[in-house]
Amino acid sequence: MSVDESAIIDFIGVDVPTGNVILTIADHLEWDEEGIHILTLAAKMQYYLTVVETGTLVENYPDMANRGIEIHVSMKYAPNKDGINFLEQMTEQFLKRSYILKYQKLEW
């Protein structure tokens, strides 16, 4: 499971303190100047939003009903300037839908 498999949820869980559903994207791609990484990540994020907003998440996981939604992007590589701009824009877009977007570069 990874960012380039756009129609799969990589990881799902619940944050115990908040009770929020955590949907995680495993992002192993390097950031490129052509924007292919951004397009790939955008497609994966769109799939996650579709799963949440169509009710598919709750159909498959009834325990996830009536919980806040967080989407986390766990990255192998730090984003370049375009990547940072994209992630900041997506954070704002998610907030408008009452979702939380978090992203971090994992340390190996």
Side-chain angles (χ1 to χ4, degrees), residues 10-71:
D10 296 338
F11 301 99
I12 184 170
V14 174
D15 181 58
V16 175
T18 65
N20 289 346
V21 175
I22 307 293
L23 303 172
T24 302
I25 297 172
D27 186 349
H28 67 288
L29 299 178
E30 291 190 51
W31 295 87
D32 59 302
E33 297 303 318
E34 297 80 26
I36 295 169
H37 186 166
I38 290 172
L39 293 174
T40 303
L41 184 54
K44 185 79 164 196
M45 288 179 174
Q46 183 57 52
Y47 176 74
Y48 278 37
L49 289 173
T50 299
V51 167
V52 170
E53 293 181 344
T54 62
T56 303
L57 178 69
V58 173
E59 286 175 24
N60 292 324
Y61 301 94
D63 296 7
M64 304 300 175
N66 303 314
R67 295 178 182 264
I69 300 292
E70 295 185 27
I71 296 177

